[in-house]
Amino acid sequence: MRDLPPALVASELAPASVHTEVFGARAALTPGVTPAAARSPHPPAGAPGAGPAVTFARSGLTVAWNGACESLLDLAEACDVPTRWSCRTGICHTCESGLLSGTIGYSPEPVDAPADGNALICCSQPREDLVLDL
């Protein structure tokens, strides 16, 4: 597609008559992350927690909440579980993920609640054992 406009102009078509518009998928949204080899999901470093079990269903990982992380997003990152995020305060909904079972609490409270059956992992913490669709 990049070669077509110069080819049209070279074929004596008036440059003002050549217009292009690019469509396609957006790049992955993981701000602050530089290209690196993917790591398999794993328990976070340090001693295991004594809190509720957090299961990342797609990643096949279950870990105990230890309170060292401020949010489920922080725990996912500590475990190298692939996820998306942007604001970390419950505003943009980029981190909205399926909550397959369990209950969560929010801190801070999101501006808009997620869809039924979903959770904003950037600002939530487990209240009981839970399973996320990550």
Side-chain angles (χ1 to χ4, degrees):
M1 288 305 295
R2 282 185 229 132
D3 296 337
L4 187 57
L8 290 171
V9 171
S11 70
E12 299 183 14
L13 189 63
S17 298
V18 178
H19 303 280
T20 60
E21 187 171 350
V22 179
F23 294 92
R26 292 177 28 183
L29 182 60
T30 50
V33 176
T34 57
R39 294 181 53 186
S40 295
H42 55 82
V54 177
T55 298
F56 299 102
R58 291 180 188 231
S59 299
L61 178 67
T62 299
V63 297
W65 179 258
N66 66 12
C69 295
E70 291 186 24
S71 67
L72 289 165
L73 174 60
D74 290 340
L75 179 61
E77 290 177 327
C79 296
D80 288 316
V81 171
T83 187
R84 293 172 37 119
W85 60 273
S86 185
C87 71
R88 291 188 179 267
T89 57
I91 295 172
C92 73
H93 287 244
T94 301
C95 70
E96 189 167 339
S97 302
L99 178 61
L100 303 177
S101 68
T103 58
I104 56 169
Y106 287 105
S107 180
E109 283 291 324
V111 173
D112 292 312
D116 287 343
N118 287 350
L120 299 177
I121 65 168
C122 73
C123 59
S124 61
Q125 304 80 30
R127 295 296 181 243
E128 63 180 0
D129 294 353
L130 60 86
V131 179
L132 293 169
D133 189 19
L134 291 172

